[in-house]
Amino acid sequence: MPTLSPIELCTPRLKLRWMDERDVDAHYAVFSDPDVARYWSSGPWTSLDQSRDHIAATQAAYADGSGLRLGIALAGTGELIGNASLHRFVDGSRRCELGYALARAHWGAGYVSEALRALLNHGFAALDLNRIEADVDPRNAASARVLEKLGFRKEGFMPERWIVQGEPADTVYYGLLRRHWNG
Ligand SMILES: CC(C)(COP(=O)(O)OP(=O)(O)OC[C@H]1O[C@@H](n2cnc3c(N)ncnc32)[C@H](O)[C@@H]1OP(=O)(O)O)[C@@H](O)C(=O)NCCC(=O)NCCS
């Protein structure tokens, strides 16, 4: 697992940064929204403690190098509007998985594409990754579009990989190789 140190990634409209206790309320606002959690196997959060615990786990992952979840904040105001992560590192193969979520009020403005471009640059350059993977519900058209715009390729289909809100849900698996990254 990589050794992680505090970073800030700046884009024209956003700042991606390490998360901490000050983010509990805004992080809860993202993951307690049923629209955001629509394709999440764990469902929407119902208690602030879930947000506190998730941020504590995020900080533990910084410390042991097992995951890099960054808060996505608006550059102008500092408001935390989402998060994006590189996690499940497989050191020997220099690969990991990608995750992301944005508060519903900010969908459709290109923020996640902008944030992921910075995070993928960081992954391929500073973290020396060779491959980044993403697992998407085929009904999640916005997420698939984000990945395809960034150059991810559709690599596989896994039927009923998850149980999402009581129902089996399929996965489309995407991958991006460093040699295909044009960031
Ligand atoms: C998926 C998600 C992160 C997208 O964030 P976003 O900031 O709105 O994404 P962007 O604006 O950068 O890009 C969205 C793209 O999808 C397109 N899109 C949006 N809704 C769509 C739909 N229903 N069908 C097809 N395309 C759609 C947009 O037009 C845009 O493409 P464009 O730039 O070519 O116009 C956001 O919807 C979200 O947080 N969803 C809930 C959490 C989630 O599903 N995370 C991913 C798990 S794999």
Side-chain angles (χ1 to χ4, degrees):
M1 287 179 282
T3 302
L4 302 174
S5 35
I7 49 160
E8 281 187 1
L9 305 177
C10 294
T11 73
R13 298 180 296 168
L14 304 169
K15 186 191 280 184
L16 278 68
R17 58 159 177 81
W18 277 29
M19 300 183 72
D20 59 35
E21 294 73 12
R22 83 191 119 147
D23 299 319
V24 167
D25 289 346
H27 195 46
Y28 178 72
V30 173
F31 282 120
S32 59
D33 181 338
D35 286 341
V36 172
R38 171 69 187 85
Y39 302 112
W40 236 260
S41 58
S42 49
W45 289 349
T46 54
S47 143
L48 265 184
D49 284 340
Q50 289 171 282
S51 180
R52 265 187 215 101
D53 292 349
H54 199 250
I55 288 175
T58 294
Q59 292 177 310
Y62 298 148
D64 68 15
S66 60
L68 176 62
R69 179 182 306 278
L70 297 178
I72 301 173
L74 293 174
T77 62
E79 180 193 354
L80 189 97
I81 61 168
N83 59 90
S85 66
L86 298 174
H87 54 274
R88 297 207 179 112
F89 293 100
V90 179
D91 288 346
S93 298
R94 292 173 32 232
R95 74 173 147 84
C96 74
E97 293 183 23
L98 175 70
Y100 41 89
L102 194 72
R104 179 72 185 86
H106 296 280
W107 289 7
Y111 285 135
V112 161
S113 303
E114 184 172 322
L116 293 184
R117 198 162 279 285
L119 184 61
L120 294 170
N121 272 334
H122 182 73
F124 287 125
L127 302 182
D128 194 30
L129 292 163
N130 183 58
R131 174 183 162 82
I132 299 176
E133 303 173 344
D135 164 335
V136 179
D137 188 304
R139 296 167 294 179
N140 195 347
S143 182
R145 175 81 187 126
V146 165
L147 293 173
E148 285 166 9
K149 279 195 297 182
L150 291 166
F152 278 78
R153 297 182 184 192
K154 206 180 280 185
E155 298 178 333
F157 177 78
M158 296 180 229
E160 302 188 16
R161 185 165 190 242
W162 301 100
I163 302 294
V164 173
Q165 296 174 33
E167 300 288 338
D170 302 336
T171 280
V172 177
Y173 220 75
Y174 284 86
L176 178 62
L177 303 183
R178 179 185 185 141
R179 66 190 153 86
H180 293 154
W181 172 239
N182 58 13

